[in-house]
Each structure stands twice: as structure tokens, then as C-alpha cells.
Amino acid sequence: MLVFHDPSNASPAPLNTLRQSARAAALLLSLAARWRIVVHGFHAYFNGVTHEEWDYPLSRVRAANGLEDSRDFLVHPSYLENFIQSASSRIGSLGEAESDAVSLAIYSLHPTVKHSVESRFLALFVALEGLARQFGRANGGMHSIIPALLAAYPPGISGLWPILGEQGLPGLKDLRNELAHGRNFSRRVPGSLSVAEDHLQLWIEYLLLSILDGRACAHGPNWLARHAIEQRDEMESIRINLSEAGIRSRS
């Protein structure tokens, strides 16, 4: 349950403002908790009068396999209140296009229907490109915009599968291009796409934390980040195998 406290004696905020704040908080909780959260009930009290709305029949939509699919929380619960406060303020300062890019990126992390691993990877990369276009201040294509995004908003996590390839080894963008053109490489290199998806999710999550000033709130190591770091040797082997199968860096 979300509770809004007004420490001042000012007039109550308009109902629409409270509703928007509640939805923004639910969006940020989705990012922090790694599962989809929506506002299903809204209650407001003004001078003894109760306003009540029910927008959705469910308060939380989890993945088909249950809570374990959340892959552990991203922001530790002890830092959650500080994160919601700082990130909400940051969202309020964004323009419409920037705010939309952030919202769509969070939604892409928590789809409401079961997806194939291929379609989920493509959806995640589209969300990453949306963030890059809005926050990567550079001219040119993604090979210019993505480095600008990483320079402006360092994600603060290392050891991930590079977004852009180098030295002939494919980056995540090269895998996106293969899938977009209908070529399925996962049969040639089993397990490659599931590993790449883990790393792509982490790129988006930690970029969002940076964009939303979430790095100011300490967040402890989580299962997915530890798992991705442990995958490093496997990841490098997979990239070599993909290169040998003809999927190379196009940079």
C-alpha cells in the first residue's frame, strides 16, 4: 500500500496529481522489485470525504513461472523509500519524450504476457535504443549514440556482454540485427540468447538507475548481477563460437 504524507498544512493536492504520483511510484517499484506492479485501487481523503477508484483487477502481474522469475530485487528494501523519493523527483523533471522512454524501458523488463526468448530480446533492445535516443546526446547512429549514453549515465556495473561488438566478436547489437532479419543463431550456438538476455536486462536496469539518480541509493548485490559476472567465461566462449559461426561485430 502506498501512503502519501503531506507534512505541511497546504491545501490537498488535486486528485489527478495524486493518481499520477501513485502510478509513478508503482512504475518505480516495478523496476526496484523486478516484477510488474500496477495501481489497482486508489483512495484519497479530503476533509472527511473519501474518493475511491478501482482501475485494475490485479495489483501485481507476475511471470508465468512465479515469483522466482523476478530474479531477486534490484533495489534493496532498506533503501526503497529513498529510491522512490529521488527517482520520482527525477521523473518529474523529465520531458515527455524522455519520460516515455523510461516508462517503456521499465515495461519492457516486465512483459504482461509470455514471450519467446527471441521476441523478449528484441523488445529489450528496442527499449535500450529508446533510452539511447533520448539520453545519448550525440549525432549519428547507434554506434555514436550508445557510447554517448554510457558516458553521460555510467551504469556502474562491469563485466557485461558489450552492447557494441569489437575485434570481430559480436556485441548485443549484432545479435539484435540477426534476429531482426529472421536469422536464429541460438540453434548454432545453444544457450547464447539466454545468456545475452540476462546481460541486456542488466544493461537496461543499471542505466535506468543512473538516469533516475538511483545510484545515490545503495543497492546491494543481487542474484542476477552475480550470475552474469559468473557467466563471464561462458559469455566469452559463446561470443567466440558466434563469431566462428559467422556472427561478427559489424562496427
Side-chain angles (χ1 to χ4, degrees):
M1 181 174 66
L2 300 173
V3 180
F4 295 88
H5 297 282
D6 183 5
S8 69
N9 294 320
S11 299
L15 188 60
N16 187 53
T17 299
L18 291 176
R19 187 186 298 111
Q20 291 176 353
S21 297
R23 289 173 178 165
L27 184 72
L28 294 171
L29 284 170
S30 294
L31 175 63
R34 281 197 170 120
W35 66 67
R36 185 74 175 270
I37 298 171
V38 297
V39 179
H40 75 287
F42 186 84
H43 302 262
Y45 302 90
F46 295 113
N47 299 323
V49 178
T50 300
H51 300 269
E52 182 175 357
E53 294 184 15
W54 294 86
D55 291 338
Y56 300 97
L58 298 174
S59 62
R60 184 164 57 206
V61 181
R62 299 187 183 185
N65 293 331
L67 179 59
E68 64 274 10
D69 276 2
S70 70
R71 301 178 178 185
D72 198 3
F73 42 72
L74 179 63
V75 177
H76 194 277
S78 61
Y79 302 106
L80 189 57
E81 186 173 352
N82 288 339
F83 169 70
I84 296 296
Q85 288 178 349
S86 62
S88 295
S89 176
R90 171 63 173 154
I91 283 181
S93 70
L94 297 176
E96 183 177 354
E98 293 173 331
S99 179
D100 285 346
V102 167
S103 298
L104 290 173
I106 296 175
Y107 290 145
S108 76
L109 294 167
H110 312 292
T112 56
V113 296
K114 191 70 174 176
H115 284 215
S116 68
V117 65
E118 292 84 3
S119 61
R120 173 166 162 75
F121 185 90
L122 286 173
L124 287 171
F125 206 91
V126 167
L128 175 62
E129 289 180 325
L131 293 175
R133 288 190 180 95
Q134 295 303 321
F135 297 97
R137 308 300 186 188
N139 296 321
M142 284 296 148
H143 281 278
S144 299
I145 297 174
I146 287 177
L149 171 67
L150 299 180
Y153 298 97
I157 183 171
S158 60
L160 297 182
W161 190 316
I163 299 174
L164 303 176
E166 76 286 326
Q167 299 178 346
L169 297 182
L172 296 174
K173 186 177 185 299
D174 299 300
L175 304 191
R176 175 263 181 205
N177 292 341
E178 290 289 316
L179 291 174
H181 289 90
R183 294 187 287 268
N184 189 344
F185 52 83
S186 57
R187 289 191 181 91
R188 285 174 281 172
V189 185
S192 55
L193 197 52
S194 60
V195 172
E197 182 191 324
D198 284 347
H199 288 246
L200 181 53
Q201 176 175 334
L202 285 165
W203 274 117
I204 294 174
E205 288 178 337
Y206 281 78
L207 279 166
L208 284 168
L209 288 180
S210 185
I211 290 169
L212 296 175
D213 294 333
R215 290 184 304 160
C217 305
H219 48 280
N222 58 78
W223 178 87
L224 183 57
R226 289 194 300 268
H227 181 61
I229 292 171
E230 292 168 358
Q231 286 176 332
R232 183 162 180 82
D233 290 342
E234 179 185 4
M235 177 193 75
E236 292 302 328
S237 176
I238 286 174
R239 294 180 70 206
I240 292 170
N241 291 338
L242 286 170
S243 178
E244 292 173 347
I247 303 169
R248 300 184 177 88
S249 170
R250 305 303 178 190
S251 59

